[in-house]
Amino acid sequence: MKRQFLPLLLLGLCGAANAQQPAATVIAVPPLTSPDSGNKGNEMLAVGWDVTQAIEADLRQTAEVMPLKPNRDDYYSYPEVTAPTFSKWRSKGAKALVTGFVQSRSDGRLTVGCYVYDLDKGRELARKGFIVGAGDWRRAAHKCSGLAYTAITGAPGMFDTRIAYVAENGSGEARTRRIAIMDSDGRNHRYLTPGDAMVLTPRFSPKASQLAYVSFAGGRPAVRVVDLASGQERPMIASDSISFAPRFSPDGSRIAFSMMLGANSDIYTVDAGGAAPRRLTTAPGVDTDPSFSPDGTKIVFESDRGGSQQLYVMNADGTGQRRISFGGGWYATPQWSPDGQWIAFTRRGQDGRRIGIVKADGTGEQTITSGPGDEGPSWAASSREILFQRSGNDGRTGLYRVALDGSEPRQMTIPQDGSDPDWSGVAE
Amino acid sequence: MMRKTTCILGLLLLGATAADAQLPFLRKRGAQPQQPVLQGIDALRADFAAQAGGTTVYFGAGNSLLGATAKATLGLQAAWLRKHPEVVVRIEGYGDGLDTRDHALAVGARRAEEARAYLVLMGVPPAQLSTTSWGKERPGLGRAVTILVR
């Protein structure tokens, strides 16, 4: 019964959000409570406060949702979780509310209950329970943030996602590069490669269980695939050709990439296990940076076959190749958005390199960043944000995220310079 | 005058003797017996660079066409390599700094390949030649460098 109401409510809320764009939807985040009592209760309330702050931090990263600062003294009783005082939070200017509870389980783990409400309508939008290990409360917080974000915007939340990039230290010949991985909020930062060989372009598999990247360890650039859980690593294909620009298919079964044959760079696909490589393009010139559509039936790529780098779309078997970029200048590094609506790209003109988006049929082109040293867009799982690298005049390179609504890009905090970011889908 | 010269010679001789006397000692602690290394690939590299008029050929932005100067340099490289069939070289191509990463990688590979193909055309056995690309990832863009590997 409730399920039937949900789409209607969502539509109503989205309509309201659109009408007042670009103002974000204000959401109240009262402290998570607990049904437990005594010492256990206090312990769970403390975890609940940690979760509350993590949810606020998650939602504050977005352009569409603006959390009210939670107040620890705003004691929230357990019955209030399922029956909030709507008028109280409305009077604070909030349109939505997310809260819940933390309950200890007999096996030592935690149940985190998460509830999202539309305050104007006084209705529940979504609820979900997450069972996590006692040390894993942050993941439950990310899941709860995602539930609230999705209920309000209709787009997948990107809080339980990871970012891979190339960490850069030193300068000139002595510059070292390592593949680094972190949670999308910057936590759990770690290095995957030791820095003895140059590395480029890390690309996650759809569930972020594997990573493909380019390594110069063998003397020439070649794609390698690493299993992130076991750390086991192998060459993507058994070949000593130069290979680069890997990108997994949306179902994870294939990898599209570029390979040199003589002076010619073409697009190939190969089974994720390394079998059955298949050549998709034959045009003389540089064809590279393939990216699958989310349904896996099409591939967008860049080619200089017409004299300058432009974007082309083809069927995933290589047929039906056609150019889609006509705005002048050079277009490169296309990536298809997870919702299929847009293709993000780097456009190089007289005044530098900028990030833009265009529809797959070549219409609706928009410029998203001001440049002049921007490159390598990677979509958030929400399809509402883009991560990219920006190089300054001082030679430093950083990672920036920008929302499609035209707001200013925000620099991510990382321990050193960074380039080639890739933003994963939502982890299972 | 005479006396002065003799004096200096004497000092030089003394110095030489002292140096000689220390040599076995140095060898014993001996990081490296240096002479064979100096005469090996480094000497070949120096000879190659001198005879070929350079190890590097340059390209115009955005293309991988060999100009007259590049062809002259590669012609001299080829002549040297034909005389040294035991030497193996790696040609390292570089892209352009303004290009995007993967495009620059492909352009570098293509430049290395064009240089390799020209050396083959000039009579160098393909077995002596290999290629790689640094894209825009290292300093020294817009060129292809021939490096003696062994």
Side-chain angles (χ1 to χ4, degrees):
Chain A
M1 214 38 200
K2 196 190 309 154
R3 199 165 276 264
Q4 289 175 326
F5 276 104
L6 261 175
L8 272 178
L9 286 167
L10 282 177
L11 276 176
L13 206 58
C14 290
N18 280 336
Q20 57 179 357
Q21 238 178 5
T25 302
V26 177
I27 186 165
V29 192
L32 269 68
T33 187
S34 176
D36 297 348
S37 57
N39 283 342
K40 206 61 178 173
N42 286 336
E43 200 183 307
M44 291 302 109
L45 281 176
V47 175
W49 178 239
D50 288 339
V51 173
T52 306
Q53 289 176 297
I55 292 170
E56 188 225 351
D58 280 347
L59 295 175
R60 201 169 286 286
Q61 291 169 29
T62 72
E64 298 101 329
V65 183
M66 172 58 69
L68 294 177
K69 188 107 192 124
N71 180 355
R72 196 170 191 177
D73 298 331
D74 256 339
Y75 176 73
Y76 209 73
S77 71
Y78 186 56
E80 268 184 286
V81 170
T82 46
T85 317
F86 295 113
S87 58
K88 173 183 170 186
W89 301 103
R90 257 201 311 264
S91 72
K92 295 190 177 187
K95 297 274 182 199
L97 181 142
V98 57
T99 190
F101 64 86
V102 182
Q103 185 171 23
S104 62
R105 292 164 52 93
S106 55
D107 61 4
R109 293 189 293 171
L110 308 172
T111 300
V112 177
C114 182
Y115 296 75
V116 186
Y117 296 94
D118 177 342
L119 292 176
D120 282 346
K121 300 223 164 47
R123 293 289 178 88
E124 180 181 314
L125 291 177
R127 73 163 76 175
K128 217 166 185 177
F130 310 103
I131 297 168
V132 293
D136 257 351
W137 54 266
R138 191 173 293 280
R139 274 201 81 190
H142 291 329
K143 293 287 186 197
C144 188
S145 307
L147 191 74
Y149 181 83
T150 303
I152 290 166
T153 66
M158 60 294 186
F159 309 106
D160 192 21
T161 57
R162 291 176 184 172
I163 289 169
Y165 71 99
V166 176
E168 304 193 16
N169 280 97
S171 61
E173 300 272 355
R175 196 157 178 89
T176 63
R177 301 182 202 222
R178 290 175 286 175
I179 303 289
I181 297 184
M182 60 185 179
D183 294 348
S184 64
D185 60 4
R187 289 175 189 273
N188 296 322
H189 190 280
R190 67 187 173 103
Y191 298 104
L192 209 64
T193 59
D196 51 349
M198 185 177 294
V199 290
L200 301 174
T201 57
R203 305 289 184 228
F204 282 113
S205 65
K207 302 292 182 201
S209 61
Q210 289 182 296
L211 190 84
Y213 71 99
V214 171
S215 169
F216 287 66
R220 357 174 61 189
V223 180
R224 300 182 67 79
V225 179
V226 56
D227 182 89
L228 291 175
S230 69
Q232 287 201 330
E233 198 176 319
R234 60 175 175 79
M236 178 185 64
I237 45 166
S239 161
D240 60 359
S241 293
I242 290 176
S243 60
F244 55 105
R247 193 79 83 170
F248 280 89
S249 65
D251 65 1
S253 68
R254 282 173 297 164
I255 300 172
F257 64 102
S258 285
M259 189 158 65
M260 298 297 300
L261 194 66
N264 193 15
S265 160
D266 281 308
I267 311 274
Y268 293 71
T269 55
V270 66
D271 293 349
R278 178 174 179 187
R279 186 175 176 180
L280 300 187
T281 67
T282 54
V286 177
D287 295 341
T288 187
D289 284 348
S291 167
F292 284 91
S293 61
D295 64 4
T297 62
K298 292 196 159 47
I299 292 174
V300 62
F301 63 102
E302 62 164 82
S303 174
D304 64 358
R305 63 185 63 176
S308 66
Q309 277 167 276
Q310 299 296 336
L311 306 185
Y312 291 75
V313 169
M314 63 182 169
N315 297 320
D317 63 0
T319 60
Q321 300 181 19
R322 65 180 204 289
R323 180 174 161 179
I324 63 158
S325 60
F326 297 96
W330 299 19
Y331 292 75
T333 74
Q335 196 205 4
W336 220 304
S337 67
D339 69 0
Q341 296 297 303
W342 296 101
I343 290 162
F345 56 80
T346 309
R347 183 175 172 187
R348 187 181 141 197
Q350 299 292 342
D351 49 356
R353 296 191 304 258
R354 300 165 178 216
I355 308 299
I357 56 173
V358 66
K359 291 190 185 298
D361 63 1
T363 64
E365 182 176 336
Q366 299 171 36
T367 302
I368 301 296
T369 71
S370 57
D374 300 343
E375 183 176 336
S378 177
W379 287 97
S382 65
S383 299
R384 306 287 184 94
E385 261 191 282
I386 291 173
L387 184 63
F388 63 99
Q389 74 173 69
R390 169 170 284 179
S391 305
N393 292 329
D394 56 0
R396 306 287 306 269
T397 300
L399 307 185
Y400 288 73
R401 51 192 284 185
V402 63
L404 297 191
D405 67 354
S407 53
E408 275 298 300
R410 288 163 296 161
Q411 184 166 14
M412 294 202 69
T413 304
I414 48 175
Q416 67 306 289
D417 281 8
S419 60
D420 284 355
D422 188 49
W423 205 337
S424 83
V426 180
E428 290 287 280
Chain B
M1 186 94 167
M2 262 303 254
R3 183 169 293 203
K4 218 174 192 177
T5 314
T6 318
C7 189
I8 290 170
L9 271 173
L11 278 173
L12 280 173
L13 280 170
L14 267 174
T17 315
D20 281 344
Q22 282 199 4
L23 263 178
F25 180 65
L26 277 176
R27 282 226 182 93
K28 208 179 264 174
R29 304 203 65 171
Q32 293 282 328
Q34 293 188 347
Q35 277 165 341
V37 175
L38 279 171
Q39 282 188 343
I41 191 133
D42 284 344
L44 279 171
R45 280 178 177 154
D47 188 53
F48 174 72
Q51 301 292 320
T55 57
T56 305
V57 295
Y58 294 92
F59 297 86
N63 74 54
S64 50
L65 302 173
L66 295 167
T69 314
K71 283 182 176 171
T73 303
L74 288 171
L76 291 169
Q77 287 185 7
W80 191 93
L81 287 169
R82 286 200 306 269
K83 273 187 271 173
H84 296 83
E86 77 287 1
V87 169
V88 172
V89 301
R90 181 176 67 236
I91 304 159
E92 302 187 344
Y94 291 73
D96 299 319
L98 289 177
D99 273 342
T100 45
R101 193 174 310 290
D102 291 325
H103 187 81
L105 203 57
V107 169
R110 181 192 265 185
R111 285 171 173 166
E113 176 58 27
E114 295 293 346
R116 192 196 71 89
Y118 192 78
L119 290 175
V120 171
L121 192 69
M122 293 288 106
V124 181
Q128 272 178 274
L129 307 169
S130 69
T131 59
T132 189
S133 171
W134 289 109
K136 63 171 183 177
E137 311 310 327
R138 294 180 103 188
L141 302 165
R143 60 184 186 146
V145 188
T146 307
I147 291 175
L148 271 59
V149 180
R150 61 182 164 80

